[in-house]
Amino acid sequence: SRKNGDIYLEMRFQNSSSVILDQFAIKVNKNFVGLSPASARVQVSPISPGGIGGASHKMLLKPEAANKDMAEGVIQIALKTKVGVLYFAANLGYETLFGEDGQLNQSGYLSMWKNLPAQEAEVKLPAISISDPEGIKATLRSTNVFFVASRPSNGNTHLYFSLKFNGSPVLIELTVNGVKMVGAAKSQDLALAQKALNAVSNMLR
């Protein structure tokens, strides 16, 4: 999850052992974005046998922890407790990396669109679950995808959004017709634009 500009790993535990669990330590393998724990110790209230607990652990992006050869969207984690080490994988959506400072006004959006490379990322969805423009805006706003403008054209609704993906601006145009949607995105890095557009599209499927 993302809170106030920081990334957190949300964990829930169920104690199936016969001892109270009150000491947790975390280690994360190198991964596709370099996500790493801010500290090894995980703050968890003691969990009695049969009990349930949880933790929201702050994570940092560290270049030295990145490995581009690792699978995208997956973080491999080891959690040490009194009764042993638990290995598991957590999913990381790219939208977690969308910053709070991605809002552009209309003139800034148009100027940047013209100056970015001509090649665009693209996506086509035959059916989206959220097709109402206001619903789309609200859904995307919750993950720091900022609405810029909209316009109708030949039965279509064109919606324009801006975001920052790990510090890099990305501009997005969504064309909605009923439940059909076509998306286009621009950035200095085409691959980054495609990843951002895919993340946005997945939120509307």
Side-chain angles (χ1 to χ4, degrees):
S1 66
R2 190 178 182 99
K3 305 171 188 175
N4 301 318
D6 294 320
I7 299 172
Y8 289 85
L9 175 65
E10 306 293 345
M11 294 177 283
R12 295 293 176 267
F13 312 114
Q14 182 170 356
N15 185 357
S16 300
S17 74
S18 59
V19 300
I20 295 175
L21 298 180
D22 57 359
Q23 297 176 26
F24 295 78
I26 190 172
K27 183 177 181 181
V28 174
N29 287 350
K30 287 189 175 183
N31 52 78
F32 70 114
V33 291
L35 196 67
S36 184
S39 64
R41 184 181 178 186
V42 180
Q43 297 286 347
V44 183
S45 298
I47 307 173
S48 299
I52 295 174
S56 183
H57 195 68
K58 186 176 180 180
M59 307 291 284
L60 301 175
L61 292 170
K62 299 180 179 179
E64 64 272 20
N67 183 342
K68 301 301 182 182
D69 295 328
M70 300 300 291
E72 293 188 0
V74 178
I75 308 296
Q76 297 176 338
I77 300 167
L79 188 70
K80 186 177 181 180
T81 72
K82 283 182 177 178
V83 294
V85 180
L86 174 67
Y87 299 93
F88 62 98
N91 295 324
L92 177 70
Y94 280 115
E95 65 274 8
T96 309
L97 306 179
F98 295 171
E100 288 71 16
D101 57 345
Q103 177 76 70
L104 290 175
N105 58 29
Q106 291 187 35
S107 61
Y109 183 102
L110 289 171
S111 176
M112 186 177 291
W113 186 277
K114 292 176 182 178
N115 291 321
L116 286 171
Q119 194 170 8
E120 301 175 8
E122 296 180 351
V123 69
K124 294 182 179 180
L125 297 181
I128 52 178
S129 61
I130 305 171
S131 57
D132 170 65
E134 293 305 317
I136 291 174
K137 293 179 197 176
T139 298
L140 299 185
R141 178 63 185 85
S142 68
T143 57
N144 294 326
V145 181
F146 299 94
F147 174 70
V148 177
S150 66
R151 66 178 179 86
S153 176
N154 300 322
N156 298 320
T157 299
H158 299 266
L159 301 167
Y160 302 91
F161 297 88
S162 64
L163 62 91
K164 273 194 177 179
F165 184 177
N166 211 13
S168 297
V170 179
L171 307 183
I172 290 178
E173 177 185 0
L174 302 180
T175 303
V176 180
N177 187 324
V179 296
K180 297 180 180 179
M181 188 190 81
V182 176
K186 275 190 172 188
S187 181
Q188 288 290 351
D189 183 335
L190 181 62
L192 185 146
Q194 188 68 63
K195 290 172 182 176
L197 182 58
N198 289 346
V200 166
S201 301
N202 287 337
M203 287 186 272
L204 304 176
R205 286 184 185 272

